[in-house]
Amino acid sequence: MRVLVVEDEPMLADAVAEWLRGQAHAVDLAHDGAAALERVGVVDYDVVVLDRDLPVVHGDDVCRAVVASASPTRVLMLTAAAEVTDRVRGLALGADDYLVKPFAFPELAARVLALGRRSRPAAPPVLCRAGLTLDPARGEVFRDSRYVPLSKKEFAVLAELLRADGAAVSAEQLLEKAWDENADPFTGAVRLAVLKLRRKLGDPPLVQTVTGVGYRIP
């Protein structure tokens, strides 16, 4: 998934981003509300992890803007305020979930994954197609009962192809969902990841190239 972490404490922001990247998500960072609004205006994020007490533009206003845009983006609000009234106010703004600091990274990751599922059309927790089985929660892939070890990036690419349910997915779409904002679209990263994925999945080949369109698993 594509996730935006909005947190004004750089060390915490980096720690959250690294943990989520370890779960095969593409993660961008913003350290104030104005930067967050700029990013959500140009990128279709699945989830925004949003600190409430932000400089420049308050997190409440960022949340209102995301909700008002009617996008499918889900908002997980973070705050040091643990009172019930604070949580109620955050949810009343339109946030989809609320997590109080300090929090455990595994819980944060689980909540992000749950919200990400809600930002997309309904899909089974375990993705199956053409003899492949991909379990997002466990991070495991099997082909005809054979375990297939994948890198985080290969796993993310395969998940997007399986979610497409047979339709072609463009390189641009894969780049947007599986890589963060630092990815250079001209490096051939998508082509290389697909090449490695094909090798690991084995024969007969499953990932097809659709000329001029992208890739698919029929």
Side-chain angles (χ1 to χ4, degrees), residues 3-32:
V3 181
L4 175 64
V5 174
V6 191
E7 169 60 58
D8 64 328
E9 297 181 22
M11 291 184 64
L12 178 58
D14 289 342
V16 170
E18 285 308 305
W19 187 274
L20 292 176
R21 286 171 183 145
Q23 308 299 308
H25 302 308
V27 183
D28 297 335
L29 288 174
H31 297 299
D32 62 64

mmCIF file of all heavy atoms in Angstrom, residues 3-32:
data_model
loop_
_atom_site.group_PDB
_atom_site.id
_atom_site.type_symbol
_atom_site.label_atom_id
_atom_site.label_comp_id
_atom_site.label_asym_id
_atom_site.label_seq_id
_atom_site.Cartn_x
_atom_site.Cartn_y
_atom_site.Cartn_z
ATOM 1 N N VAL A 3 1.434 4.722 1.813
ATOM 2 C CA VAL A 3 1.113 5.310 3.120
ATOM 3 C C VAL A 3 1.855 6.626 3.274
ATOM 4 O O VAL A 3 3.034 6.737 2.914
ATOM 5 C CB VAL A 3 1.506 4.358 4.269
ATOM 6 C CG1 VAL A 3 1.155 4.976 5.623
ATOM 7 C CG2 VAL A 3 0.806 3.007 4.109
ATOM 8 N N LEU A 4 1.179 7.624 3.828
ATOM 9 C CA LEU A 4 1.805 8.895 4.178
ATOM 10 C C LEU A 4 1.861 8.997 5.692
ATOM 11 O O LEU A 4 0.832 8.901 6.367
ATOM 12 C CB LEU A 4 1.018 10.072 3.612
ATOM 13 C CG LEU A 4 1.523 11.467 4.024
ATOM 14 C CD1 LEU A 4 2.935 11.712 3.475
ATOM 15 C CD2 LEU A 4 0.567 12.557 3.542
ATOM 16 N N VAL A 5 3.062 9.191 6.236
ATOM 17 C CA VAL A 5 3.238 9.388 7.669
ATOM 18 C C VAL A 5 3.477 10.873 7.905
ATOM 19 O O VAL A 5 4.434 11.446 7.368
ATOM 20 C CB VAL A 5 4.426 8.567 8.205
ATOM 21 C CG1 VAL A 5 4.686 8.904 9.679
ATOM 22 C CG2 VAL A 5 4.149 7.072 8.049
ATOM 23 N N VAL A 6 2.600 11.487 8.699
ATOM 24 C CA VAL A 6 2.703 12.918 8.991
ATOM 25 C C VAL A 6 3.011 13.069 10.478
ATOM 26 O O VAL A 6 2.137 12.858 11.326
ATOM 27 C CB VAL A 6 1.404 13.670 8.637
ATOM 28 C CG1 VAL A 6 1.642 15.176 8.709
ATOM 29 C CG2 VAL A 6 0.878 13.260 7.270
ATOM 30 N N GLU A 7 4.243 13.421 10.780
ATOM 31 C CA GLU A 7 4.700 13.496 12.176
ATOM 32 C C GLU A 7 5.823 14.525 12.264
ATOM 33 O O GLU A 7 6.768 14.476 11.477
ATOM 34 C CB GLU A 7 5.192 12.108 12.631
ATOM 35 C CG GLU A 7 5.927 12.062 13.930
ATOM 36 C CD GLU A 7 5.113 12.560 15.099
ATOM 37 O OE1 GLU A 7 4.029 11.994 15.363
ATOM 38 O OE2 GLU A 7 5.562 13.533 15.745
ATOM 39 N N ASP A 8 5.718 15.459 13.212
ATOM 40 C CA ASP A 8 6.709 16.531 13.298
ATOM 41 C C ASP A 8 7.943 16.158 14.114
ATOM 42 O O ASP A 8 8.903 16.928 14.153
ATOM 43 C CB ASP A 8 6.075 17.810 13.851
ATOM 44 C CG ASP A 8 5.578 17.664 15.279
ATOM 45 O OD1 ASP A 8 5.158 16.555 15.647
ATOM 46 O OD2 ASP A 8 5.605 18.663 16.026
ATOM 47 N N GLU A 9 7.941 15.009 14.756
ATOM 48 C CA GLU A 9 9.130 14.536 15.449
ATOM 49 C C GLU A 9 9.899 13.617 14.495
ATOM 50 O O GLU A 9 9.477 12.476 14.246
ATOM 51 C CB GLU A 9 8.748 13.775 16.715
ATOM 52 C CG GLU A 9 8.025 14.628 17.752
ATOM 53 C CD GLU A 9 7.678 13.826 19.003
ATOM 54 O OE1 GLU A 9 8.335 12.784 19.240
ATOM 55 O OE2 GLU A 9 6.754 14.227 19.715
ATOM 56 N N PRO A 10 11.026 14.098 13.943
ATOM 57 C CA PRO A 10 11.731 13.344 12.894
ATOM 58 C C PRO A 10 12.101 11.914 13.282
ATOM 59 O O PRO A 10 11.953 10.990 12.470
ATOM 60 C CB PRO A 10 12.986 14.186 12.637
ATOM 61 C CG PRO A 10 12.586 15.574 13.035
ATOM 62 C CD PRO A 10 11.667 15.408 14.206
ATOM 63 N N MET A 11 12.572 11.704 14.521
ATOM 64 C CA MET A 11 12.983 10.357 14.915
ATOM 65 C C MET A 11 11.803 9.396 14.941
ATOM 66 O O MET A 11 11.898 8.260 14.472
ATOM 67 C CB MET A 11 13.668 10.390 16.280
ATOM 68 C CG MET A 11 15.033 11.072 16.274
ATOM 69 S SD MET A 11 15.863 11.005 17.873
ATOM 70 C CE MET A 11 16.102 9.235 18.048
ATOM 71 N N LEU A 12 10.672 9.861 15.458
ATOM 72 C CA LEU A 12 9.481 9.014 15.489
ATOM 73 C C LEU A 12 8.967 8.779 14.075
ATOM 74 O O LEU A 12 8.569 7.660 13.723
ATOM 75 C CB LEU A 12 8.399 9.655 16.353
ATOM 76 C CG LEU A 12 7.070 8.896 16.431
ATOM 77 C CD1 LEU A 12 7.284 7.480 16.957
ATOM 78 C CD2 LEU A 12 6.065 9.651 17.316
ATOM 79 N N ALA A 13 8.958 9.826 13.258
ATOM 80 C CA ALA A 13 8.491 9.684 11.873
ATOM 81 C C ALA A 13 9.328 8.653 11.125
ATOM 82 O O ALA A 13 8.785 7.793 10.420
ATOM 83 C CB ALA A 13 8.558 11.037 11.168
ATOM 84 N N ASP A 14 10.654 8.738 11.272
ATOM 85 C CA ASP A 14 11.539 7.788 10.589
ATOM 86 C C ASP A 14 11.319 6.366 11.095
ATOM 87 O O ASP A 14 11.333 5.405 10.317
ATOM 88 C CB ASP A 14 12.996 8.188 10.800
ATOM 89 C CG ASP A 14 13.377 9.452 10.037
ATOM 90 O OD1 ASP A 14 12.640 9.822 9.100
ATOM 91 O OD2 ASP A 14 14.396 10.061 10.387
ATOM 92 N N ALA A 15 11.119 6.227 12.404
ATOM 93 C CA ALA A 15 10.915 4.892 12.977
ATOM 94 C C ALA A 15 9.623 4.267 12.469
ATOM 95 O O ALA A 15 9.584 3.079 12.119
ATOM 96 C CB ALA A 15 10.899 4.983 14.504
ATOM 97 N N VAL A 16 8.556 5.056 12.421
ATOM 98 C CA VAL A 16 7.272 4.560 11.916
ATOM 99 C C VAL A 16 7.397 4.173 10.446
ATOM 100 O O VAL A 16 6.928 3.110 10.018
ATOM 101 C CB VAL A 16 6.163 5.616 12.109
ATOM 102 C CG1 VAL A 16 4.888 5.190 11.363
ATOM 103 C CG2 VAL A 16 5.857 5.809 13.586
ATOM 104 N N ALA A 17 8.053 5.041 9.680
ATOM 105 C CA ALA A 17 8.206 4.774 8.247
ATOM 106 C C ALA A 17 8.993 3.485 8.002
ATOM 107 O O ALA A 17 8.609 2.664 7.166
ATOM 108 C CB ALA A 17 8.897 5.949 7.562
ATOM 109 N N GLU A 18 10.090 3.305 8.739
ATOM 110 C CA GLU A 18 10.901 2.109 8.546
ATOM 111 C C GLU A 18 10.132 0.846 8.936
ATOM 112 O O GLU A 18 10.265 -0.198 8.290
ATOM 113 C CB GLU A 18 12.196 2.212 9.351
ATOM 114 C CG GLU A 18 13.220 3.153 8.744
ATOM 115 C CD GLU A 18 13.503 2.844 7.285
ATOM 116 O OE1 GLU A 18 13.859 1.690 6.978
ATOM 117 O OE2 GLU A 18 13.333 3.750 6.441
ATOM 118 N N TRP A 19 9.355 0.921 10.000
ATOM 119 C CA TRP A 19 8.576 -0.244 10.405
ATOM 120 C C TRP A 19 7.553 -0.609 9.327
ATOM 121 O O TRP A 19 7.403 -1.785 8.980
ATOM 122 C CB TRP A 19 7.868 0.031 11.734
ATOM 123 C CG TRP A 19 7.183 -1.186 12.281
ATOM 124 C CD1 TRP A 19 5.917 -1.632 11.984
ATOM 125 C CD2 TRP A 19 7.727 -2.159 13.189
ATOM 126 N NE1 TRP A 19 5.636 -2.785 12.644
ATOM 127 C CE2 TRP A 19 6.723 -3.144 13.389
ATOM 128 C CE3 TRP A 19 8.941 -2.274 13.853
ATOM 129 C CZ2 TRP A 19 6.927 -4.233 14.227
ATOM 130 C CZ3 TRP A 19 9.130 -3.367 14.681
ATOM 131 C CH2 TRP A 19 8.129 -4.326 14.864
ATOM 132 N N LEU A 20 6.863 0.394 8.795
ATOM 133 C CA LEU A 20 5.851 0.129 7.774
ATOM 134 C C LEU A 20 6.494 -0.353 6.465
ATOM 135 O O LEU A 20 5.932 -1.192 5.768
ATOM 136 C CB LEU A 20 5.013 1.380 7.527
ATOM 137 C CG LEU A 20 4.114 1.802 8.699
ATOM 138 C CD1 LEU A 20 3.404 3.111 8.377
ATOM 139 C CD2 LEU A 20 3.090 0.719 9.022
ATOM 140 N N ARG A 21 7.661 0.187 6.136
ATOM 141 C CA ARG A 21 8.365 -0.302 4.947
ATOM 142 C C ARG A 21 8.756 -1.761 5.116
ATOM 143 O O ARG A 21 8.798 -2.519 4.141
ATOM 144 C CB ARG A 21 9.598 0.560 4.677
ATOM 145 C CG ARG A 21 9.271 1.940 4.116
ATOM 146 C CD ARG A 21 10.468 2.849 4.062
ATOM 147 N NE ARG A 21 10.093 4.185 3.587
ATOM 148 C CZ ARG A 21 10.653 5.305 4.010
ATOM 149 N NH1 ARG A 21 11.631 5.260 4.909
ATOM 150 N NH2 ARG A 21 10.246 6.475 3.537
ATOM 151 N N GLY A 22 9.040 -2.139 6.354
ATOM 152 C CA GLY A 22 9.340 -3.538 6.629
ATOM 153 C C GLY A 22 8.150 -4.454 6.438
ATOM 154 O O GLY A 22 8.303 -5.679 6.341
ATOM 155 N N GLN A 23 6.947 -3.864 6.351
ATOM 156 C CA GLN A 23 5.731 -4.627 6.077
ATOM 157 C C GLN A 23 5.352 -4.554 4.598
ATOM 158 O O GLN A 23 4.212 -4.840 4.230
ATOM 159 C CB GLN A 23 4.561 -4.086 6.924
ATOM 160 C CG GLN A 23 4.862 -3.970 8.406
ATOM 161 C CD GLN A 23 5.193 -5.294 9.023
ATOM 162 O OE1 GLN A 23 4.448 -6.257 8.883
ATOM 163 N NE2 GLN A 23 6.329 -5.365 9.727
ATOM 164 N N ALA A 24 6.292 -4.113 3.766
ATOM 165 C CA ALA A 24 6.126 -4.043 2.295
ATOM 166 C C ALA A 24 5.236 -2.899 1.837
ATOM 167 O O ALA A 24 4.685 -2.949 0.746
ATOM 168 C CB ALA A 24 5.604 -5.368 1.722
ATOM 169 N N HIS A 25 5.097 -1.855 2.658
ATOM 170 C CA HIS A 25 4.353 -0.666 2.231
ATOM 171 C C HIS A 25 5.314 0.366 1.658
ATOM 172 O O HIS A 25 6.480 0.451 2.071
ATOM 173 C CB HIS A 25 3.598 -0.046 3.407
ATOM 174 C CG HIS A 25 2.633 -0.980 4.075
ATOM 175 N ND1 HIS A 25 1.679 -1.690 3.383
ATOM 176 C CD2 HIS A 25 2.476 -1.320 5.385
ATOM 177 C CE1 HIS A 25 0.976 -2.437 4.233
ATOM 178 N NE2 HIS A 25 1.458 -2.224 5.445
ATOM 179 N N ALA A 26 4.831 1.178 0.724
ATOM 180 C CA ALA A 26 5.583 2.322 0.222
ATOM 181 C C ALA A 26 5.198 3.519 1.091
ATOM 182 O O ALA A 26 4.012 3.850 1.199
ATOM 183 C CB ALA A 26 5.239 2.596 -1.232
ATOM 184 N N VAL A 27 6.180 4.159 1.707
ATOM 185 C CA VAL A 27 5.895 5.178 2.721
ATOM 186 C C VAL A 27 6.555 6.500 2.366
ATOM 187 O O VAL A 27 7.760 6.558 2.087
ATOM 188 C CB VAL A 27 6.392 4.726 4.115
ATOM 189 C CG1 VAL A 27 6.015 5.754 5.175
ATOM 190 C CG2 VAL A 27 5.801 3.369 4.470
ATOM 191 N N ASP A 28 5.762 7.575 2.393
ATOM 192 C CA ASP A 28 6.262 8.936 2.254
ATOM 193 C C ASP A 28 6.156 9.637 3.602
ATOM 194 O O ASP A 28 5.353 9.241 4.455
ATOM 195 C CB ASP A 28 5.457 9.715 1.215
ATOM 196 C CG ASP A 28 5.574 9.113 -0.182
ATOM 197 O OD1 ASP A 28 6.586 8.445 -0.458
ATOM 198 O OD2 ASP A 28 4.646 9.308 -0.983
ATOM 199 N N LEU A 29 6.929 10.717 3.766
ATOM 200 C CA LEU A 29 6.943 11.452 5.034
ATOM 201 C C LEU A 29 6.593 12.918 4.826
ATOM 202 O O LEU A 29 6.949 13.522 3.805
ATOM 203 C CB LEU A 29 8.326 11.372 5.684
ATOM 204 C CG LEU A 29 8.752 10.040 6.287
ATOM 205 C CD1 LEU A 29 10.201 10.121 6.745
ATOM 206 C CD2 LEU A 29 7.856 9.675 7.460
ATOM 207 N N ALA A 30 5.903 13.484 5.800
ATOM 208 C CA ALA A 30 5.667 14.926 5.874
ATOM 209 C C ALA A 30 5.802 15.327 7.338
ATOM 210 O O ALA A 30 5.373 14.587 8.223
ATOM 211 C CB ALA A 30 4.285 15.290 5.345
ATOM 212 N N HIS A 31 6.412 16.491 7.588
ATOM 213 C CA HIS A 31 6.681 16.899 8.970
ATOM 214 C C HIS A 31 5.828 18.073 9.442
ATOM 215 O O HIS A 31 6.004 18.548 10.565
ATOM 216 C CB HIS A 31 8.164 17.229 9.140
ATOM 217 C CG HIS A 31 9.071 16.058 8.900
ATOM 218 N ND1 HIS A 31 9.021 14.908 9.665
ATOM 219 C CD2 HIS A 31 10.023 15.850 7.958
ATOM 220 C CE1 HIS A 31 9.923 14.044 9.226
ATOM 221 N NE2 HIS A 31 10.527 14.587 8.178
ATOM 222 N N ASP A 32 4.922 18.534 8.591
ATOM 223 C CA ASP A 32 3.972 19.554 9.027
ATOM 224 C C ASP A 32 2.698 19.427 8.205
ATOM 225 O O ASP A 32 2.655 18.723 7.185
ATOM 226 C CB ASP A 32 4.558 20.972 8.918
ATOM 227 C CG ASP A 32 4.903 21.364 7.488
ATOM 228 O OD1 ASP A 32 3.987 21.459 6.651
ATOM 229 O OD2 ASP A 32 6.099 21.572 7.211
#
